[in-house]
Amino acid sequence: MGDVFEGYERQYCEASASLTRKCTAAAALQGEKLKQKVAEIQSGIDGAEALIRKMDLEARNLQPSVRAGLLAKIREYKSDLNNLKGTLKRITSGNAQQGAREELLESGMADTLGVSADQRSRLLRATERQNQTTDRLRDSHRTMLETEDLGVSILHDLNQQRQSLLHAHRVLDDVDVNVGKSRRIIGDMVRKMDRNKWIIGLIIAVLVLAILVILYFKFVH
């Protein structure tokens, strides 16, 4: 839940409790004092409505998973405020008749305040459940972020290992190329050595033949 929404919600709960106390006090007043108290209550109701509008605007800017619960709480607050408006209307409409106002003080006001108190109790319980749900969502979100960070770290390590393997593969390719070149050079050298052997053998054979010819002509003639 957003901190801004919680601030508006706290202000509304305080305003609602204050308006309930003022309605209780206004039911026992009459004349000019009653008018002043009614004006004060009406100003407080206007301020509470402004807080509800701010909460509604703030809730609609939050994530969908959180927004639905907050909008349900706002509907409860609107219902609570409508009860306060009804109480104020009964107080002002009964100003002309003291008996009606006393009846309101003894019965209707007690019922209304009881409803308001019960409703606020339900709202507080709903707020607590909503906060617990929000905490669980926040913990889940934090766990998801930690898991995501771990996944990114693992992917980074795997990418580094992949780069190392590619580098080793390129080195092996270079070694294979060099080995191939070395084999060709050695093959050429072996062929040259074989050719040289034949040439040397041929020269030796020619020399031996020449020596034999020389010796033949020397001893024969």
Side-chain angles (χ1 to χ4, degrees):
M1 186 188 302
D3 295 336
V4 177
F5 184 92
E6 291 179 351
Y8 291 149
E9 184 179 31
R10 184 167 53 255
Q11 293 179 39
Y12 174 79
C13 290
E14 294 173 355
S16 177
S18 176
L19 288 171
T20 300
R21 290 191 298 269
K22 290 178 180 179
C23 286
T24 303
L29 299 176
Q30 58 181 335
E32 190 63 28
K33 291 184 178 180
L34 176 61
K35 291 180 180 180
Q36 293 177 356
K37 182 62 70 173
V38 167
E40 184 180 350
I41 294 172
Q42 185 60 53
S43 177
I45 289 176
D46 293 339
E49 286 182 331
L51 288 172
I52 289 178
R53 288 194 296 270
K54 291 179 180 178
M55 283 190 287
D56 184 76
L57 181 61
E58 183 66 24
R60 296 182 187 279
N61 291 328
L62 297 176
Q63 297 178 353
S65 57
V66 181
R67 184 191 309 156
L70 298 184
L71 291 178
K73 293 173 66 175
I74 291 173
R75 286 193 294 271
E76 291 285 342
Y77 293 147
K78 288 181 179 179
S79 177
D80 176 67
L81 188 60
N82 286 333
N83 287 336
L84 290 173
K85 289 180 180 179
T87 300
L88 180 62
K89 184 177 181 181
R90 285 191 293 272
I91 291 174
T92 55
S93 63
N95 187 31
Q97 299 180 357
Q98 180 67 24
R101 188 166 61 252
E102 292 177 354
E103 182 181 356
L104 176 64
L105 178 61
E106 294 175 357
S107 60
M109 186 64 182
D111 293 339
T112 300
L113 294 178
V115 171
S116 298
D118 182 65
Q119 192 170 41
R120 278 196 299 277
S121 177
R122 291 199 307 271
L123 289 175
L124 290 175
R125 289 194 298 271
T127 301
E128 183 178 358
R129 289 194 299 269
Q130 181 66 31
N131 290 336
Q132 292 175 353
T133 302
T134 302
D135 291 339
R136 288 195 295 270
L137 289 173
R138 188 181 293 112
D139 291 339
S140 299
H141 183 65
R142 182 169 56 252
T143 302
M144 181 184 68
L145 291 178
E146 292 175 352
T147 303
E148 182 179 356
D149 291 339
L150 178 61
V152 170
S153 177
I154 292 174
L155 288 176
H156 180 69
D157 293 340
L158 290 175
N159 184 61
Q160 288 183 336
Q161 294 177 8
R162 178 176 177 272
Q163 295 298 327
S164 299
L165 291 174
L166 290 175
H167 178 69
H169 183 69
R170 286 193 295 268
V171 171
L172 289 175
D173 288 341
D174 294 338
V175 171
D176 289 339
V177 171
N178 293 330
V179 169
K181 290 180 180 180
S182 299
R183 286 178 179 176
R184 286 194 296 272
I185 293 172
I186 293 174
D188 293 339
M189 293 175 63
V190 170
R191 284 191 295 273
K192 288 179 180 180
M193 290 175 64
D194 290 340
R195 186 168 58 252
N196 291 337
K197 286 179 182 180
W198 283 104
I199 293 173
I200 293 172
L202 181 60
I203 292 172
I204 292 173
V206 170
L207 291 174
V208 171
L209 181 61
I211 292 171
L212 291 175
V213 170
I214 293 170
L215 290 175
Y216 173 76
F217 282 104
K218 183 177 180 180
F219 290 107
V220 173
H221 300 285

